[in-house]
Every structure is written in C-alpha cells, then in structure tokens.
Amino acid sequence: MRWWDTTPLGRVLNRFSFDTDNVDTTLVTKLFPAIMSLSWCAGAIGVMMGTFWPWSLIFIPIPTVIYLWLFQFSRKSIRQFQQLDSISRSPIQSVYSEVLSGIVSVRAFAWEAKYSERLARVIDVNSAAILTFNSSNRWLGVRVELLVAFVSSLLGLGFWLLRGQVPASLVGMCFIWNTNLATSLGFNCI
C-alpha cells in the first residue's frame, strides 16, 4: 500500500500502460521477424560452413566472438537508456493527468502557459533520452555492419586462396547469404 502512496500517479499510469502496450503490440510484432532473423543467420552460417567446410572451423568463430562481445557490451548500456526513456516518459503523463483532472482550475487561474512550459520541459527531457537510446542502437548497428564487412573480406580472401577449388556458383551464393547475415545481425540493432 505504501508504494501506491509514494509513487506519482504518472509513473503508475506509465508503467501499466507501457507494459500492456509492449505485450499487446511490440512483442507480437517483433516475434516473427526475430524468428526469421535467427533462421537467416543460421542459414548464412550454414552456407558459409558448407562452402569452406574444413577451414570454416577456423574462420567462423572469430566474427562470432566479436559479435557476441559487441552485443553483450552494448546491451547493458542500451537497457539503461531504455530505462531512462521509460522514466522520463512518466512526467509527461503526470502533467497530462494533472491538467485533465484540474482543467477548470487551470483555466480559472490562467495557468495554461505555465503548464505548456512545464510540458515542453518534460518532453525535451524525454526527447533527449530517446535520442540517446536511438544513438546507442545506431552505434551497435555501425559496428555490426563493419563486422559483416570483415566477414566479407574473410570470404573474399578464402575464395581467392581456394581459387579453382570452389565453383563460382558457390562463391556467389556465399556472398548473397553474407548479405542476409548482415540483415539478420542488424535486426538486433533495432
């Protein structure tokens, strides 16, 4: 009972409405692309391993370890930025609920400008949190794209070293699946 008395109404409304929205819309809409992304990733790795079978055991773990390190490194900070966004959203809803519940008093005392200024301030704080969150996602996206370029370089080097032993059709298929790998690894940066 104490939590309900000490927590601002905007934060309570934000928590319940945001969690419900995430379960109803965001989770469902991202589940199918996540499964598709995982299958693309598995397919790309399978094609590359099949094409370079004995040598792929040497080359595949290097980008995998780099990717896992990048993802673990950025996941902690991205989670904190997402929490900042969530926390800075509750004052917006709090201002709205205050104004709507006391609209008669706000108009009677001519406090429209005061509440508009207060709302603009809390929206600016929330916008800064959203920008930081999106920038951190883009930071990870750039690193993942550089990692896929590194994998493409490894593929090119491997095909050059094995020239004449690997058919051109497998080379093309491997590079096409490498593009799918870029798409599927980039899905985590959204």
Side-chain angles (χ1 to χ4, degrees):
M1 190 67 180
R2 180 180 167 160
W3 183 81
W4 294 100
D5 294 333
T6 59
T7 305
L9 179 63
R11 188 168 296 160
V12 174
L13 286 174
N14 179 38
R15 183 80 268 155
F16 286 128
S17 63
F18 189 67
D19 288 347
T20 304
D21 179 55
N22 276 341
V23 169
D24 288 345
T25 59
T26 308
L27 184 65
V28 174
T29 57
K30 291 200 181 230
L31 186 62
F32 179 71
I35 292 171
M36 192 169 60
S37 172
L38 286 174
S39 66
W40 281 354
C41 188
I45 291 173
V47 166
M48 286 186 253
M49 285 186 77
T51 306
F52 283 120
W53 171 237
W55 300 281
S56 63
L57 296 175
I58 298 169
F59 290 114
I60 296 291
I62 296 169
T64 304
V65 167
I66 294 171
Y67 175 74
L68 290 174
W69 180 81
L70 273 174
F71 193 67
Q72 290 297 322
F73 177 77
S74 65
R75 189 177 68 168
K76 296 170 189 168
S77 59
I78 288 173
R79 185 183 304 132
Q80 293 295 319
F81 293 141
Q82 200 169 20
Q83 186 179 15
L84 280 176
D85 171 37
S86 180
I87 289 171
S88 66
R89 191 178 300 124
S90 66
I92 296 172
Q93 292 180 336
S94 179
V95 169
Y96 274 127
S97 66
E98 282 179 32
V99 169
L100 290 177
S101 65
I103 193 71
V104 175
S105 299
V106 169
R107 288 184 179 156
F109 291 106
W111 286 344
E112 292 95 347
K114 174 186 166 188
Y115 276 104
S116 293
E117 186 179 305
R118 185 174 163 199
L119 182 64
R121 259 194 332 266
V122 294
I123 287 176
D124 285 345
V125 169
N126 183 255
S127 296
I130 291 172
L131 178 66
T132 306
F133 173 69
N134 289 339
S135 298
S136 64
N137 278 336
R138 196 59 231 143
W139 180 90
L140 178 61
V142 167
R143 270 55 179 190
V144 167
E145 290 167 7
L146 287 172
L147 180 64
V148 171
F150 174 69
V151 170
S152 295
S153 300
L154 284 179
L155 284 174
L157 179 66
F159 285 129
W160 181 76
L161 291 173
L162 296 174
R163 60 187 177 273
Q165 295 178 14
V166 180
S169 59
L170 286 179
V171 172
M173 186 173 71
C174 208
F175 277 111
I176 287 172
W177 274 96
N178 187 47
T179 306
N180 286 344
L181 181 68
T183 304
S184 65
L185 291 180
F187 179 77
N188 290 325
C189 305
I190 297 175

